Amino acid sequence: MGPVTLGVSIAVPEPYGSFLQGKRAGFGDLAAHGIPTHITLLPPTEVGAEDLPAVEAHLADVAASSRPFPLRLEGTGTFRPLSPVVYVKVAEGEAGCAALQARVRAASGPCARELAFPYHPHVTVAHGIAEEAMDRAQADLKDFSATWTIGGFALYQQGADAVWRLEREYPFGPRTAGVPRQADLSRPSAPAS
């Protein structure tokens, strides 16, 4: 078995996820429909397929010892000129996201890796498109706001077609042996702008 490309993220719940994905596509970002709307915890990372069980066990342990926390998205920002990205800001819950991603990427675990830039939780709404479209994305979503409670995260795998597909969800809280859990990983609590 060859390598697979994995990512771990917090899904942006409905109706916000589809709204922001539609906006991203509308700005001309061709990758929009292949990338679920999310906050990254582990960026695209190549691992051997034989290492997948260890990754899944590690993520289950991280989720089991985590607790829900509130998250609020509000306004926009950009990484330009360092990186051609416009994003919706994480206005509340940044510390929770940072702590979670540090545990996912722990040096002692199977997802250990260095980052190209310091971790900054955000929701990408435009990437690598024309400057005018990036400016429009930043202006168009400047009043966007959404609030919900983070109840878990998910593992995604990138296919040969560059589309990211959900592999497994990891709800927060202790696991009970032999009892499967269904979790509401993200519960919206306010309407989107």
Side-chain angles (χ1 to χ4, degrees):
M1 298 184 112
V4 294
T5 302
L6 304 176
V8 178
S9 62
I10 297 168
V12 174
E14 296 303 330
Y16 317 125
S18 293
F19 174 78
L20 291 174
Q21 190 174 43
K23 285 291 199 178
R24 185 172 179 173
F27 298 134
D29 190 329
L30 299 178
H33 293 295
I35 304 172
T37 308
H38 68 282
I39 299 167
T40 299
L41 298 175
L42 177 71
T45 301
E46 193 173 280
V47 300
E50 67 279 2
D51 297 324
L52 198 50
V55 168
E56 290 178 341
H58 170 67
L59 295 176
D61 288 344
V62 170
S65 61
S66 298
R67 300 294 171 262
F69 60 92
L71 189 130
R72 180 170 46 92
L73 300 177
E74 189 172 273
T76 55
T78 184
F79 294 130
R80 296 179 291 174
L82 293 177
S83 182
V85 172
V86 170
Y87 58 87
V88 172
K89 296 177 186 177
V90 173
E92 179 183 359
E94 187 172 7
C97 292
L100 196 55
Q101 69 84 33
R103 292 178 55 225
V104 167
R105 292 187 316 101
S108 61
C111 299
R113 66 164 288 176
E114 293 295 319
L115 299 178
F117 299 102
Y119 182 73
H120 183 271
H122 64 281
V123 177
T124 299
V125 292
H127 181 228
I129 58 177
E131 285 297 318
E132 300 78 24
M134 300 276 269
D135 293 341
R136 190 164 44 94
Q138 192 165 358
D140 191 43
L141 291 168
K142 69 179 174 44
D143 295 324
F144 178 83
S145 180
T147 304
W148 73 94
T149 299
I150 301 300
F153 56 83
L155 173 66
Y156 291 83
Q157 184 171 330
Q158 187 177 39
D161 57 1
V163 173
W164 287 92
R165 292 176 179 83
L166 176 67
E167 289 295 312
R168 184 171 169 197
E169 294 179 326
Y170 295 89
F172 291 160
R175 292 176 280 165
T176 305
V179 179
R181 291 186 296 154
Q182 293 290 44
D184 181 10
L185 297 183
S186 300
R187 299 181 302 277
S189 58
S193 304

